[in-house]
Each structure stands twice: as C-alpha cells, then as structure tokens.
Amino acid sequence: MKILVSGAAGYIGSHTVISLLENGYEVVGFDNFYNSSPKAVQRVKEISGKDFPFYEADMLDKEALHQIFKAHPDIYAVIHFAGLKAVGESVQKPILYYHDNLTGTLNLVQVMEEAGCCNIIFSSSATVYGDPKEIPITENCPKGICTNPYGWTKWMQEQMLIDLQKASPEWNVILLRYFNPIGAHKSGEIGEKPQGIPNNLVPFLTQVAVGKRPKLYIYGTDYDTPDGTCIRDYIHILDLAQGHVEALRYLDQKEGGHTVINLGSGKGYSVFDIINTFEGIMGSEIPKEIADRRKGDIPISLADITKAKKLLGWEPKYTLEEMCRDSWKWQQKYPEGFNK
C-alpha cells in the first residue's frame, strides 16, 4: 500500500515515515524544507535501511502535486503534515500562515480528488480545543477559541475537511489531534529543531541544557495545580508516529466518514515534573527563573485517549523519562540540529 506523506522531512513527518516503512508500507514523501532539512530524509533512509521516492515540492505549487500523483497513480492515502507551524511567527505573519496553510491544503485535496484518492489523515492539534470545557479532554469537547493564527489554521483546516467529507461521502477523513509530542528517535539521528525561539517547554529546555540559551523561564507558579505550574499531556514522538500507522489500518477498515481522535499519553505532567526529570537525567541543575504567566496559557491540558485505544488498538508505551532522555540524546548529539 502506497502512502503519500506531506511534510515528510519535518519532526513528526520524518518519524512517521520510519514507522510506515518499518510496518511494510510504501512511502512517497515531499517537503519544501521551509522548516526542515534534506538531511532528515537521508537519515530516515539510513535508519530504516529503505529507500523511497522523495520530492522537493511545495503545496502551493499545484502542478508539482499533480506530477507526484501522475508518477504514483497507486497512492492509496495521504498523511498530511505539511504546513507552517511556528506559533510566534504566526502572530507576526498571520496572513502568511492563513495563506500557506489553508491554500496548501485546498490544493492538496483538489489534486487528490482529481487523482481519485479520497483517503486523508490530517495532522491536527489539541490547540483547537482552546480553553477546554472538560478535563480530561474527549473528542466530544467542543472546539474553542484559539490563541494564535497557527491554531486557527488547524481549526479551519479541520472544518474544511469535515465539510468536504459531508459534501462528498466517498471521502474518508481522520483528524488526529496531537497533544505535546517530545522525544526523538532512539538512534539520536533525527529529532526536533524548532525555527527561531522555541515556544514549547522541552525544546527550549534542551537548548538551555546544551548551552544555546542562558536560562529557562517558568511562566507562572500560581496556577490551580499541585505544584502551581501548568500541566500538559506529553507523548513520545515514536508513540505518535505509531499512532499514524494504526490510523491507516483503521482507515482501511471503514467506508467514508470523518473521525476525530486524540493522540496523547493520557497523563499530565507539570513544568516542574519535566524539569526535575531532565535534571535527574543530566545529573545537574538547569539555570531557570520564575516569570509572569503568559497570556493564553491554560492551567491543564490533558487527553482522554479512550477512543484511540478502542478504535485504533493503540496506546503509548514510552515513559516520561524515556521522552526526556531521547530528547536530550538528540540535542547533545546535534546541538545545531541538522545544521551540524
């Protein structure tokens, strides 16, 4: 079975390609390398021991997408990761984000439809829940108010795909809402390299630990949580990647419709939980400073993953210590990411 992976050189995309190859799928990948590196593609091939067709292409280039489908008319499904994803940049350049992410997805589904491929798994985010009405968050929790343009593009892309499926019942759509993927491949050869200043805790923390940034800022210790810091649901990138494999298997069993599924660990970890685990692995303290709360941060975000267990037969297997240890291994090995 041949699967097209958009954004195949990105953090989640590259790890998912490895899982697909390890599970016997044929992969065709493309990426424009805006926030990724050709080295990631090469390392995926080295780790997996398998070659696969890869194209440097942009979703905004509709003709390039047509050419990929013409070269591979037997593509069964698309796993759609491609898109701009830096929260801070989205605030500074909202029109760029709305244009690229929404137009790119529209181009992709139009080309898919013309090629007769109507199966898509979309890389979404728990950010669409906004300030959730329930904890843990189930898929029945209504979508909320996003706090940045990046989040709104996920919100809107979901709606576009849902409306498409309602209008065209032959479409089979799975929306995977990720919580907080961290970690890296066990080899330490691929991992996360955010563009600019990391907005998320773990990549910022590892950059402090490796000496790239002077100290870690803890934004608020007065939340209504056991230790006063925000609690988040973290999932190992390898567990998340395997979730896409199981989603493909589920997609193959169902006929049409759209399905929303949370992918998280189902466990909540505070900022101090993460810091203490990292410091234990490193054997030393990380420079840190308490700062004021950030606007838009919610106290707790935690997934209910019952649906993923039931429909996909999937559940995460990696511990918080393994997530942190693998993140640290990647950062130590490649302090400059794929640039070194």
Side-chain angles (χ1 to χ4, degrees), residues 26-335:
E26 293 181 72
V27 171
V28 178
F30 78 87
D31 203 300
N32 68 356
F33 300 127
Y34 179 82
N35 190 35
S36 58
S37 169
K39 292 180 182 177
V41 180
Q42 186 56 42
R43 290 182 190 174
V44 165
K45 293 179 178 181
E46 291 169 357
I47 291 167
S48 65
K50 297 181 179 179
D51 197 4
F52 60 93
F54 181 88
Y55 299 84
E56 182 174 354
D58 193 305
M59 289 190 301
L60 298 180
D61 185 349
K62 205 170 181 181
E63 182 55 32
L65 300 182
H66 276 299
Q67 292 303 318
I68 292 173
F69 276 91
K70 285 180 182 178
H72 305 277
D74 54 341
I75 290 172
Y76 169 74
V78 174
I79 302 181
H80 180 27
F81 296 108
L84 302 177
K85 65 171 190 173
V87 170
E89 183 183 53
S90 80
V91 174
Q92 296 166 356
K93 303 176 181 178
I95 299 305
L96 173 68
Y97 270 65
Y98 288 121
H99 176 263
D100 283 25
N101 289 359
L102 301 184
T103 304
T105 296
L106 287 171
N107 283 347
L108 179 62
V109 296
Q110 287 169 358
V111 172
M112 288 175 64
E113 195 160 45
E114 291 170 18
C117 175
C118 296
N119 297 316
I120 187 168
I121 296 174
F122 177 59
S123 164
S124 191
S125 167
T127 191
V128 302
Y129 291 116
D131 190 353
K133 306 302 181 186
E134 59 184 24
I135 298 291
I137 304 168
T138 71
E139 291 83 355
N140 292 325
C141 180
K143 290 162 72 174
I145 303 298
C146 298
T147 58
N148 55 75
Y150 160 74
W152 279 117
T153 66
K154 290 295 187 185
W155 200 106
M156 293 175 186
Q157 286 173 94
E158 278 199 5
Q159 196 60 48
M160 283 161 42
L161 292 171
I162 290 170
D163 290 342
L164 167 64
Q165 198 286 318
K166 287 179 179 177
S168 304
E170 69 274 15
W171 274 86
N172 210 348
V173 176
I174 296 181
L175 308 175
L176 297 181
R177 292 177 179 166
Y178 313 151
F179 279 68
N180 294 273
I182 61 174
H185 192 267
K186 293 294 181 180
S187 65
E189 290 299 313
I190 59 171
E192 183 175 19
K193 176 59 173 70
Q195 188 179 57
I197 300 173
N199 187 67
N200 297 323
L201 172 62
V202 172
F204 198 106
L205 187 157
T206 58
Q207 289 188 9
V208 172
V210 83
K212 286 180 62 63
R213 301 194 182 277
K215 57 186 170 183
L216 175 71
Y217 293 95
I218 300 168
Y219 296 105
T221 57
D222 58 350
Y223 287 95
D224 186 16
T225 60
D227 65 17
T229 64
C230 292
I231 290 175
R232 295 291 182 266
D233 184 320
Y234 293 92
I235 177 174
H236 198 295
I237 187 64
L238 296 181
D239 281 325
L240 184 62
Q242 187 61 30
H244 291 79
V245 173
E246 303 305 336
L248 263 178
R249 290 172 177 158
Y250 176 66
L251 184 146
D252 191 38
Q253 297 168 9
K254 63 195 284 289
E255 296 182 4
H258 76 268
T259 308
V260 178
I261 302 175
N262 288 336
L263 290 183
S265 67
K267 299 177 181 178
Y269 302 103
S270 74
V271 174
F272 282 132
D273 287 335
I274 299 293
I275 293 172
N276 293 338
T277 302
F278 258 101
E279 289 181 337
I281 290 168
M282 293 173 57
S284 61
E285 287 196 15
I286 297 166
K288 47 192 174 287
E289 179 181 313
I290 306 298
D292 293 336
R293 291 185 181 193
R294 291 186 302 190
K295 185 178 178 180
D297 276 350
I298 59 176
I300 303 174
S301 179
L302 176 63
D304 183 318
I305 58 173
T306 303
K307 191 173 182 180
K309 292 179 180 179
K310 181 179 178 180
L311 295 186
L312 308 185
W314 168 93
E315 59 183 306
K317 65 180 182 179
Y318 293 103
T319 65
L320 177 60
E321 182 174 348
E322 288 173 297
M323 298 182 216
C324 294
R325 190 177 300 280
D326 293 338
S327 293
W328 181 225
K329 181 177 182 179
W330 152 254
Q331 188 72 78
Q332 277 187 303
K333 201 168 184 178
Y334 297 102

